[in-house]
């Protein structure tokens, strides 16, 4: 899997997240056909995985935990919905 930074293509999303949440940074990546939104606040970090055509694969979740959050799976909370997964960790 290859993570590509596409933050500059999502400036409205980034500015909206920074204005309306406690996030101090927001980055947007492409992981193949899946969009990855990574945001961080003083007390937590979140990764949202979204794919409009299919559900998120377990390998994509594992990749996000290990390579984006750099955490152990036991440290994170995972919330799953159709076509969407949110992964959160307290820092």
């Amino acid at each position: 899997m290859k993570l590509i930074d596409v933050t500059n293509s999502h400036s409205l999303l980034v500015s909206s997240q920074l204005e309306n949440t406690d996030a101090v940074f927001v980055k947007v990546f492409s992981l193949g056909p899946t969009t990855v939104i990574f945001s961080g606040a003083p007390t937590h970090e979140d990764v949202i995985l979204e794919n409009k055509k299919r559900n998120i694969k377990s390998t994509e979740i594992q990749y996000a935990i290990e390579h984006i959050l750099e955490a152990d799976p036991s440290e994170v909370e995972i919330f799953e919905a159709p076509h969407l997964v949110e992964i959160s960790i307290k820092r």
Side-chain angles (χ1 to χ4, degrees):
M1 284 186 220
K2 186 173 181 178
L3 201 60
I4 300 169
D5 189 339
V6 294
T7 304
N8 290 337
S9 300
H10 297 275
S11 59
L12 289 176
L13 169 70
V14 171
S15 62
S16 175
Q17 288 291 310
L18 290 172
E19 290 173 7
N20 298 307
T21 67
D22 62 345
V24 293
F25 73 86
V26 177
K27 294 185 179 187
V28 183
F29 299 98
S30 171
L31 187 60
T34 300
T35 301
V36 179
I37 303 166
F38 176 39
S39 63
T43 59
H44 62 93
E45 291 181 344
D46 300 307
V47 173
I48 296 173
L49 303 164
E50 178 187 38
N51 189 312
K52 294 182 182 190
K53 297 186 183 211
R54 63 165 171 78
N55 288 329
I56 304 301
K57 296 178 180 178
S58 60
T59 55
E60 293 170 318
I61 296 169
Q62 190 66 32
Y63 185 89
I65 293 169
E66 291 176 3
H67 297 281
I68 299 172
L69 292 174
E70 298 177 351
D72 187 86
S74 64
E75 299 175 299
V76 301
E77 291 182 74
I78 301 172
F79 307 96
E80 296 186 56
H83 307 278
L84 186 79
V85 170
E86 180 180 354
I87 306 165
S88 186
I89 186 168
K90 293 184 182 188
R91 296 286 185 190

